[in-house]
Amino acid sequence: MRLGYVALTASATTMGYSLLIAVAMMDFTGEEVLTQCLAVGPYLLGLGLGSVYGDHIPADKKISRLWLLEWLSVTVLPILPLIQLAAVFIFLQYTHPSVGLDQKTGLAFCLGIVGVLSFIAGILGGAQLPLILSSAQKLSTEVALAFNYIGALLAGAGIVFLIALNIPFGHQILIFGIIQLSGLMLLLSTFRKRTTGLALMFIPLIILFGTAHLYPVVEHYTVKNSYHRTRVDHVSQLFRKNLYQVIKEFGELERVRTPYQTIDLFIEPPVPHLSIPGNATLYLNRKPQIDILTTAIYHESMVAAALNLFQGMPKKILILGGGDGLLLKELKHLTSTRITQIELDPLMLQFARDNNVISGLNENILSNMPKNMEVKIEDAISYLRKNSKEQFDVVIIDLPFPNGPDLSRLYSLEFYKMVRRVLSPGAIVVIDLPLYFTEERAFAQESKTILKTLRSAGFRYPLPFGPLASFVAVGMNETPLRFDYLRFPEELSVSAASNLVDVFPDENLTEADWAKQNVNTMFWPKEL
Amino acid sequence: MTFQPFFIYAVTFILAFCSLFYEFAFAQVLAVSIGGTKIQYLIVISLFTFSLGMGSLVYGKIKPRAETRKILLWVEIGLTFVGLLGPFALTWILRPGVFPGGSAMPQALAYFTVILVGFLSGFEIPCMFDLSPSRNGRILAADYVGMLAASIAFPLFFLPVFGTASSVMIVALFNCTVFLWLRSIEGRHWETMIGLVAIFSSMILTIIFRAELNELLSSLYLGVDP
């Protein structure tokens, strides 16, 4: 049974670390499917090659080699996530500020790292199994194999559980490391030189606790650096203390990990001698959402556009997303309108309620919610899938940009068709989405795809607007939408008003041209 | 009965490729239908690895009672059908309102499908070992390379080029080819030729109608189109 437990811990931890590496890198790449797939493939390949190696070890050396491999696993595997993070830090230091980790070069680098590290985890796991199978005298091969496979199941289930419980990443490394150490401890009784073995146990123990302690520190430096972008010209500069001093002292980073996303608030101090004002930017999964300097353009113009295009007083408004509470603040004056907000992440709402910067921006609306407003904690897609009876006059969609498969579903044909189901006749939908332009001042392919997706969902005349912060308004109308500039409120700020301008670089596109464009669907995602 | 080594490795590669590919496609459908790509991929991969092991354990028990080739034949029939129909069935059963009551039952059924593919795939490697006993190391290598190929081809090629529905159908047709190869050993050459033509034509049709197949999946997801 002892070796059965070792088989279980070996597979649980090697697979567990491979999955942890992928999950940690997803934060930087934003590519969930690609990162998971490129961790699993090399892991399985490593597993296979490892087992071929394990098979070739002479019978008399099997037990000692098993101990060595298990010791090596306990020692090496916890460092892998830290190596990955350090590699990302160094990559960021050497690349031009415009090269992000989600762009092609950065992505290839990140996925390469995930692949190599998962392969190492696979080799260490794979090499142990044949040794366990041949060393287990009282244990049948089937039972040892069963333990091994249960270990793989526990790895995946364990990580899902740890993510759901919001356990910090450093602690997750520690938990897997302790499980692995327990296997090594059991194996110690089969090791001939027990005193040496016991002494050697201290090395992985120190490495494990050191990694768990260091991980959040390195993560803090890497993430902060990815926002304010210090760069070095030479390798020797990486070892200079003042580099870390600059990263440490320039700005403040507040990070909250939730089961759904990572929330970062990066506060930059003003630089008076360069006339740079201070700012605070809210990032979700490392993508900027709002900042103090531009929030007026963004939320004010979004609400003003929706109310202007609706041509009357809406009875019911639906907000999808918008967990920062800034849209609710903008709609506060509509006291007779029923406003429902659907937000997936309760910790985002809590952050927007408790954080001084964000609660200052939303004027504490989430703590002092008016009676006509309601916030439901639910996934926007599942809300729309279940609710096709209640109808709304205005729908405001303020969801993160389509970085990654989870988010690109919120810009899909199916999603927009579900939005259509909850619209009352004459309803207006305003969507916050990225509009990119080519050098010839035409829409870039990604933007055309989103606009074509909207048209395919039955919104015939999308109105793209906002030269400063881009949005698209759509309705069930049979004629193109137009702003009525005489109806905008007088108190509208200049910056918001300047964003309420149509952008029509592709207005000469014919129906035949539109027919050639891609449609983004949940089951056939397109690059957005 | 002896087999050409190349065939053994090629078949092992295809089988491993198909199995992991189905699981990635199922993970994609589960992520769309239930939500949480990260979580669904984690669950699917661990259930797959676990059921793969359970499959090889059960193979050990039934081996003395059945001929290896016949076991593999049935496994391939099963995998072709589960792989082919899986995404459509999963999308349909996970639509709210299809099953009365909560979401527990349809989700359990969906994960059972994931386990079924893993379980059936677990028979494949021991079967290949028995068909060609002296080449275990290389068979294992072909198996792992097949899985590696699936993990690269699914996100980088098949999903963006064909979408979930047509990708899984193309791969199921590869699986069907292995089934035909196993049947051809009995010497039914005409049957094999007709089968190969049918598979090739189906593949061409799947590629031509890839948009329609993915639309079918969308309709199953949405229910009645507004």
Side-chain angles (χ1 to χ4, degrees), chain B residues 142-186:
Chain B
D143 179 63
Y144 288 118
V145 172
M147 288 200 193
L148 175 69
S151 68
I152 292 168
F154 176 75
L156 289 176
F157 178 70
F158 279 90
L159 189 60
V161 175
F162 301 115
T164 311
S166 349
S167 296
V168 91
M169 289 183 80
I170 292 170
V171 170
L173 290 168
F174 284 141
N175 222 335
C176 207
T177 314
V178 174
F179 165 77
L180 270 184
W181 170 71
L182 288 165
R183 295 269 294 169
S184 73
I185 294 166
E186 289 170 1

Coordinates of all heavy atoms in Angstrom, one line a residue, chain B residues 142-186:
Chain B
A142 N 4.5 6.4 -29.9 CA 3.5 6.9 -30.9 C 2.3 7.4 -30.2 O 1.7 8.4 -30.6 CB 3.2 5.7 -31.8
D143 N 1.9 6.7 -29.1 CA 0.7 7.2 -28.4 C 0.9 8.6 -27.8 O 0.0 9.5 -28.0 CB 0.5 6.2 -27.2 CG -0.7 6.5 -26.3 OD1 -1.8 6.5 -26.9 OD2 -0.5 6.8 -25.2
Y144 N 2.0 8.8 -27.2 CA 2.3 10.1 -26.6 C 2.5 11.2 -27.6 O 2.0 12.3 -27.5 CB 3.5 10.1 -25.6 CG 3.1 9.3 -24.4 CD1 3.8 8.1 -24.0 CD2 2.1 9.8 -23.5 CE1 3.4 7.5 -22.8 CE2 1.7 9.1 -22.4 CZ 2.4 7.9 -22.0 OH 2.1 7.3 -20.9
V145 N 3.1 10.9 -28.7 CA 3.3 11.8 -29.8 C 1.9 12.2 -30.4 O 1.6 13.3 -30.7 CB 4.2 11.3 -30.9 CG1 4.3 12.3 -32.1 CG2 5.6 11.2 -30.3
G146 N 1.0 11.2 -30.5 CA -0.4 11.4 -31.0 C -1.1 12.4 -30.1 O -1.8 13.3 -30.6
M147 N -0.9 12.2 -28.8 CA -1.6 13.1 -27.9 C -1.0 14.5 -28.0 O -1.7 15.5 -27.9 CB -1.5 12.6 -26.4 CG -2.3 11.4 -26.2 SD -2.6 11.2 -24.4 CE -3.2 9.5 -24.4
L148 N 0.3 14.6 -28.1 CA 1.0 15.9 -28.3 C 0.4 16.6 -29.5 O 0.1 17.8 -29.5 CB 2.5 15.7 -28.4 CG 3.3 17.0 -28.6 CD1 3.2 17.9 -27.4 CD2 4.7 16.7 -29.0
A149 N 0.3 15.8 -30.6 CA -0.2 16.4 -31.9 C -1.6 16.9 -31.7 O -2.0 18.0 -32.2 CB -0.2 15.3 -33.0
A150 N -2.5 16.2 -30.9 CA -3.8 16.6 -30.7 C -3.8 17.9 -29.9 O -4.6 18.8 -30.2 CB -4.6 15.6 -30.0
S151 N -3.0 18.0 -29.0 CA -3.0 19.2 -28.1 C -2.5 20.4 -28.9 O -2.8 21.6 -28.5 CB -2.2 19.0 -26.8 OG -0.8 18.9 -27.2
I152 N -1.7 20.2 -29.9 CA -1.3 21.4 -30.7 C -2.3 21.6 -31.8 O -2.7 22.8 -32.1 CB 0.1 21.1 -31.3 CG1 1.1 21.1 -30.2 CG2 0.5 22.2 -32.4 CD1 2.5 20.5 -30.6
A153 N -2.8 20.6 -32.5 CA -3.7 20.7 -33.6 C -5.0 21.3 -33.3 O -5.6 22.1 -34.0 CB -3.8 19.4 -34.4
F154 N -5.6 20.9 -32.1 CA -6.9 21.3 -31.8 C -7.0 22.9 -31.6 O -7.8 23.5 -32.4 CB -7.4 20.6 -30.5 CG -8.8 21.2 -30.1 CD1 -9.9 20.8 -30.8 CD2 -8.9 22.0 -29.0 CE1 -11.2 21.3 -30.4 CE2 -10.2 22.5 -28.6 CZ -11.3 22.1 -29.3
P155 N -6.2 23.5 -30.8 CA -6.4 24.9 -30.6 C -5.8 25.7 -31.8 O -6.3 26.8 -32.1 CB -5.6 25.3 -29.3 CG -4.6 24.2 -29.2 CD -5.1 23.0 -29.8
L156 N -4.7 25.2 -32.4 CA -4.0 26.0 -33.4 C -4.5 25.8 -34.8 O -4.4 26.7 -35.7 CB -2.5 25.8 -33.4 CG -1.8 26.3 -32.2 CD1 -0.3 25.9 -32.2 CD2 -1.9 27.8 -32.0
F157 N -5.1 24.7 -35.1 CA -5.5 24.4 -36.5 C -7.0 24.1 -36.6 O -7.8 24.9 -37.2 CB -4.7 23.3 -37.1 CG -5.1 23.0 -38.5 CD1 -4.9 23.9 -39.6 CD2 -5.8 21.8 -38.8 CE1 -5.4 23.6 -40.8 CE2 -6.3 21.5 -40.1 CZ -6.0 22.4 -41.1
F158 N -7.5 23.1 -36.0 CA -8.8 22.6 -36.2 C -9.9 23.6 -35.7 O -10.8 23.9 -36.4 CB -9.1 21.3 -35.5 CG -8.5 20.1 -36.3 CD1 -7.2 19.7 -36.2 CD2 -9.3 19.5 -37.3 CE1 -6.8 18.6 -36.9 CE2 -8.9 18.4 -38.1 CZ -7.6 18.0 -37.9
L159 N -9.7 24.1 -34.5 CA -10.8 25.0 -33.9 C -10.9 26.3 -34.8 O -12.0 26.7 -35.2 CB -10.5 25.3 -32.5 CG -11.6 26.1 -31.7 CD1 -12.9 25.3 -31.7 CD2 -11.1 26.3 -30.3
P160 N -9.8 27.0 -35.1 CA -10.0 28.2 -35.9 C -10.4 27.9 -37.3 O -11.1 28.7 -37.9 CB -8.6 28.9 -35.8 CG -7.6 28.0 -35.1 CD -8.4 26.8 -34.6
V161 N -10.0 26.8 -37.9 CA -10.2 26.6 -39.3 C -11.6 25.9 -39.6 O -12.3 26.3 -40.5 CB -9.1 25.7 -40.0 CG1 -9.4 25.4 -41.4 CG2 -7.8 26.5 -39.9
F162 N -12.0 25.0 -38.7 CA -13.2 24.2 -39.0 C -14.3 24.5 -37.9 O -15.4 24.1 -38.1 CB -12.9 22.7 -39.0 CG -12.0 22.3 -40.1 CD1 -10.7 21.8 -39.8 CD2 -12.3 22.5 -41.4 CE1 -9.8 21.5 -40.8 CE2 -11.4 22.2 -42.5 CZ -10.2 21.7 -42.1
G163 N -13.9 25.0 -36.7 CA -14.9 25.1 -35.7 C -15.1 23.8 -35.0 O -14.6 22.8 -35.4
T164 N -15.8 23.8 -33.8 CA -15.9 22.6 -33.0 C -16.6 21.4 -33.7 O -16.1 20.3 -33.7 CB -16.7 22.9 -31.7 OG1 -16.1 24.1 -31.2 CG2 -16.6 21.8 -30.7
A165 N -17.8 21.7 -34.3 CA -18.6 20.6 -34.9 C -17.9 19.9 -36.0 O -17.7 18.7 -36.0 CB -19.9 21.2 -35.4
S166 N -17.4 20.6 -37.0 CA -16.8 19.9 -38.1 C -15.4 19.3 -37.7 O -15.1 18.2 -38.3 CB -16.5 20.9 -39.3 OG -17.1 22.1 -39.1
S167 N -14.7 19.9 -36.8 CA -13.4 19.3 -36.4 C -13.6 18.0 -35.8 O -12.9 17.0 -36.2 CB -12.8 20.2 -35.3 OG -12.5 21.4 -35.8
V168 N -14.6 17.9 -34.9 CA -14.8 16.6 -34.3 C -15.3 15.5 -35.3 O -15.0 14.4 -35.2 CB -15.7 16.8 -33.0 CG1 -17.2 16.6 -33.4 CG2 -15.3 16.0 -31.9
M169 N -16.1 16.0 -36.3 CA -16.5 15.0 -37.3 C -15.4 14.5 -38.2 O -15.3 13.3 -38.5 CB -17.6 15.7 -38.2 CG -18.9 15.9 -37.3 SD -20.3 16.5 -38.3 CE -20.8 15.1 -39.1
I170 N -14.5 15.4 -38.5 CA -13.3 15.0 -39.3 C -12.5 14.0 -38.5 O -12.1 13.0 -39.0 CB -12.5 16.3 -39.7 CG1 -13.2 17.1 -40.6 CG2 -11.1 15.8 -40.3 CD1 -12.6 18.5 -40.9
V171 N -12.3 14.3 -37.2 CA -11.5 13.4 -36.4 C -12.2 12.0 -36.2 O -11.6 11.0 -36.2 CB -11.1 14.1 -35.1 CG1 -10.5 13.1 -34.1 CG2 -10.1 15.2 -35.4
A172 N -13.5 12.1 -36.1 CA -14.3 10.8 -35.9 C -14.1 10.0 -37.2 O -14.1 8.8 -37.1 CB -15.7 11.1 -35.7
L173 N -14.0 10.7 -38.3 CA -13.8 9.9 -39.6 C -12.4 9.2 -39.6 O -12.3 8.2 -40.2 CB -14.0 10.8 -40.8 CG -15.5 11.3 -41.0 CD1 -15.6 12.4 -42.0 CD2 -16.3 10.1 -41.5
F174 N -11.4 9.9 -39.0 CA -10.1 9.2 -38.9 C -10.3 8.0 -38.0 O -9.7 6.9 -38.3 CB -9.1 10.1 -38.1 CG -8.6 11.3 -38.9 CD1 -8.4 12.5 -38.3 CD2 -8.2 11.1 -40.2 CE1 -7.8 13.6 -39.0 CE2 -7.6 12.2 -40.9 CZ -7.5 13.4 -40.4
N175 N -11.0 8.1 -37.0 CA -11.3 7.0 -36.1 C -11.9 5.8 -36.8 O -11.6 4.6 -36.7 CB -12.2 7.4 -34.9 CG -11.7 6.9 -33.6 OD1 -11.0 5.8 -33.5 ND2 -12.1 7.5 -32.5
C176 N -12.8 6.2 -37.7 CA -13.6 5.2 -38.5 C -12.6 4.5 -39.5 O -12.8 3.3 -39.8 CB -14.6 6.0 -39.3 SG -16.0 5.1 -39.7
T177 N -11.6 5.2 -39.9 CA -10.6 4.6 -40.8 C -9.9 3.4 -40.1 O -9.7 2.4 -40.7 CB -9.6 5.6 -41.3 OG1 -10.3 6.8 -41.6 CG2 -8.8 5.2 -42.4
V178 N -9.6 3.6 -38.8 CA -9.0 2.6 -38.1 C -9.9 1.4 -38.0 O -9.5 0.2 -38.1 CB -8.6 3.1 -36.7 CG1 -8.0 1.9 -35.8 CG2 -7.5 4.2 -36.8
F179 N -11.2 1.7 -37.8 CA -12.2 0.6 -37.7 C -12.1 -0.2 -39.0 O -12.1 -1.4 -39.0 CB -13.5 1.2 -37.4 CG -14.7 0.3 -37.7 CD1 -15.0 -0.7 -36.7 CD2 -15.5 0.4 -38.8 CE1 -16.1 -1.5 -37.0 CE2 -16.5 -0.4 -39.0 CZ -16.8 -1.4 -38.1
L180 N -12.1 0.5 -40.1 CA -12.1 -0.2 -41.4 C -10.8 -1.0 -41.6 O -10.9 -2.1 -42.1 CB -12.1 0.9 -42.5 CG -13.4 1.3 -43.1 CD1 -13.2 2.3 -44.2 CD2 -14.2 0.1 -43.5
W181 N -9.7 -0.5 -41.1 CA -8.4 -1.2 -41.2 C -8.5 -2.6 -40.4 O -8.1 -3.6 -40.9 CB -7.3 -0.4 -40.6 CG -6.0 -1.1 -40.5 CD1 -5.2 -1.6 -41.4 CD2 -5.4 -1.6 -39.2 NE1 -4.1 -2.3 -40.9 CE2 -4.3 -2.3 -39.5 CE3 -5.8 -1.4 -37.9 CZ2 -3.5 -2.9 -38.5 CZ3 -5.0 -2.0 -36.9 CH2 -3.8 -2.7 -37.2
L182 N -9.2 -2.5 -39.3 CA -9.3 -3.7 -38.5 C -10.2 -4.7 -39.2 O -10.0 -5.9 -39.1 CB -9.9 -3.3 -37.1 CG -8.9 -2.6 -36.1 CD1 -9.7 -2.0 -35.0 CD2 -7.9 -3.6 -35.6
R183 N -11.3 -4.2 -39.9 CA -12.2 -5.1 -40.6 C -11.4 -5.7 -41.8 O -11.7 -6.8 -42.2 CB -13.4 -4.3 -41.1 CG -14.2 -3.7 -40.0 CD -15.3 -4.7 -39.6 NE -16.3 -4.8 -40.7 CZ -17.2 -5.8 -40.7 NH1 -17.3 -6.6 -39.6 NH2 -18.1 -5.9 -41.7
S184 N -10.6 -4.9 -42.4 CA -9.9 -5.3 -43.7 C -9.0 -6.5 -43.4 O -8.7 -7.2 -44.3 CB -9.1 -4.2 -44.3 OG -8.0 -3.9 -43.5
I185 N -8.6 -6.7 -42.1 CA -7.7 -7.8 -41.8 C -8.4 -9.1 -42.1 O -7.8 -10.1 -42.5 CB -7.3 -7.7 -40.3 CG1 -6.4 -6.5 -40.1 CG2 -6.5 -9.0 -39.9 CD1 -6.2 -6.1 -38.7
E186 N -9.7 -9.1 -42.0 CA -10.5 -10.3 -42.3 C -10.6 -10.6 -43.8 O -11.1 -11.6 -44.3 CB -11.9 -10.2 -41.8 CG -12.0 -10.2 -40.3 CD -13.3 -9.8 -39.7 OE1 -14.3 -9.6 -40.5 OE2 -13.5 -9.8 -38.5

